[in-house]
Amino acid sequence: EFNLWLTIWSLTDKNVSFIKNPKYIDKGLSFTSNGKFMALAERENCKDFIGIYYCGDWKLMNHFQVDTVDLADLMWSHDDTAIVVWDSLIECWILIYSATQGLL
């Protein structure tokens, strides 16, 4: 209800993983086309971040702040080399980030 944790339950080995501070419960999450990585919109201290997670063990691979006023959603590019982020309708910004190098 308060978006404090994202909980991931493994159906194969019954492990449970937790990710802190997801921004949304119904958007702000995207997987690469091969399903190996997940990008997640996160909110910490009133600032928007993107967390990149490896789906094999749900370990954080990268975490960076984005230059948005109010991140509305995100998705991986068609070739999985970048993450497209868009801001609220009031700001109408579209930003493109590398999963490893930041703003492109």
Side-chain angles (χ1 to χ4, degrees):
E1 180 177 331
F2 297 108
N3 296 348
L4 299 176
W5 298 96
L6 173 70
T7 307
I8 303 159
W9 289 277
S10 171
L11 298 177
T12 57
D13 60 14
K14 299 183 182 175
N15 284 334
V16 179
S17 300
F18 300 97
I19 299 174
K20 288 175 48 176
N21 304 317
K23 182 165 183 178
Y24 300 108
I25 58 170
D26 59 346
K27 58 184 180 176
L29 149 92
S30 181
F31 292 91
T32 55
S33 58
N34 62 9
K36 289 187 178 184
F37 295 95
M38 176 186 75
L40 177 67
E42 300 173 355
R43 187 83 170 166
E44 297 176 23
N45 300 320
C46 300
K47 294 182 171 68
D48 293 328
F49 290 83
I50 295 177
I52 308 295
Y53 295 87
Y54 175 64
C55 297
D57 57 8
W58 301 105
K59 297 293 182 198
L60 181 65
M61 304 303 291
N62 198 4
H63 189 254
F64 53 90
Q65 186 174 347
V66 293
D67 296 326
T68 57
V69 174
D70 185 18
L71 186 149
D73 210 348
L74 59 82
M75 66 184 245
W76 286 93
S77 63
H78 71 281
D79 61 357
D80 298 333
T81 59
I83 301 165
V84 179
V85 175
W86 53 98
D87 213 333
S88 67
L89 293 176
I90 295 170
E91 294 297 325
C92 295
W93 290 357
I94 295 176
L95 303 166
I96 301 173
Y97 288 88
S98 164
T100 58
Q101 300 171 351
L103 185 61
L104 299 172

